[in-house]
Amino acid sequence: MSNIQTFNFSLGRKERNKLNNHTSFVVWFTGLSGSGKSTLANMLEKLLYEAKVNTFILDGDNLRKGLNKELNFSNKEREENLRVAAEVAKILVNSGSVVLASFISPKKTNRDMVKEIIGKDDFIEVFVNTSLETCEKRDVKGLYKKARAGEIKNFTGIDSPYENPLNPDIEINTERENLEEAANRILKLLQKKLELK
């Protein structure tokens, strides 16, 4: 590591933000599998696109199909998956994008690590608060059924805990709130943050 020297490139985040006419940061969606994180991120991205904001979605499943395909679901490797996701998100923020990151990130320590890598000023936490019962009823990927049958081990909500965020920037309850209204509520929260100073 002592032989690594960072090259100082001419253009940085400040210049890219100026070109894009908005700031860049990460919106981190956390919640159980099936809570609606990716659906909400997708809806929010459409709204941001209409507002001419450069975005990029990072999704747990997509990252595991490529960059992190060698990682399994042990606690250690789940943490590594999130560390890599946070580092990628940080690179994308420096490229001038608003990153919408959808990851279960079940533990407070996971989210604290992510926040530390990205930087607390560039991290907005969205807690998609959907009960285990509702997520299990939805079971869009059939994972809860497999977990209950013992076919999947270490599954969040079944045999691995999910720790609810204590102070998220915004909380969405998908059982009581329309997702379109929720996406608009998040957009409203982001509007001031998007403004260049």
Side-chain angles (χ1 to χ4, degrees):
M1 294 300 275
S2 60
N3 294 326
I4 295 173
Q5 292 184 356
T6 305
F7 186 85
N8 292 318
F9 292 97
S10 303
L11 297 176
R13 176 180 171 185
K14 187 178 176 183
E15 289 76 20
R16 293 183 188 105
N17 284 174
K18 192 174 177 184
L19 179 69
N20 294 337
N21 201 31
H22 65 76
T23 60
S24 52
F25 49 86
V26 177
V27 182
W28 193 272
F29 294 84
T30 177
L32 291 169
S33 177
S35 61
K37 298 182 301 298
S38 296
T39 303
L40 200 49
N42 187 50
M43 293 177 92
L44 179 61
E45 185 174 46
K46 286 180 183 176
L47 294 173
L48 289 166
Y49 178 81
E50 287 166 12
K52 298 188 175 12
V53 174
N54 289 324
T55 58
F56 197 90
I57 289 183
L58 284 178
D59 181 83
D61 287 344
N62 293 347
L63 215 63
R64 281 187 174 276
K65 285 180 182 173
L67 194 61
N68 286 342
K69 65 182 175 184
E70 77 288 351
L71 297 177
N72 64 37
F73 289 89
S74 70
N75 286 332
K76 188 177 179 184
E77 297 203 12
R78 290 178 88 177
E79 191 168 302
E80 177 61 7
N81 181 54
L82 291 171
R83 187 195 67 78
V84 172
E87 293 288 0
V88 171
K90 187 176 180 178
I91 290 169
L92 290 168
V93 167
N94 287 327
S95 80
S97 293
V98 171
V99 182
L100 309 175
S102 173
F103 292 86
I104 293 169
S105 34
K107 296 179 181 175
K108 182 183 182 298
T109 53
N110 299 150
R111 297 185 295 269
D112 287 347
M113 173 193 65
V114 166
K115 191 185 292 189
E116 188 175 328
I117 291 168
I118 293 166
K120 63 176 183 161
D121 292 340
D122 294 325
F123 182 85
I124 292 173
E125 186 176 62
V126 179
F127 175 30
V128 185
N129 187 0
T130 308
S131 69
L132 175 62
E133 293 73 27
T134 298
C135 291
E136 224 174 326
K137 277 179 193 168
R138 291 175 183 168
D139 205 8
V140 278
K141 301 172 190 173
L143 299 176
Y144 284 100
K145 188 177 179 183
K146 287 181 179 178
R148 289 288 185 196
E151 295 171 36
I152 301 175
K153 301 291 181 197
N154 203 27
F155 191 78
T156 305
I158 305 299
D159 56 354
S160 183
Y162 179 85
E163 299 170 3
N164 287 1
L166 300 176
N167 295 297
D169 293 287
I170 189 166
E171 184 174 331
I172 306 297
N173 187 313
T174 63
E175 291 156 291
R176 293 199 299 261
E177 192 171 0
N178 175 289
L179 281 182
E180 196 173 316
E181 289 169 5
N184 275 291
R185 198 155 65 85
I186 299 168
L187 180 64
K188 193 174 179 182
L189 175 77
L190 302 183
Q191 281 168 340
K192 276 194 177 178
K193 195 158 184 68
L194 285 164
E195 293 171 9
L196 289 172
K197 301 286 186 269

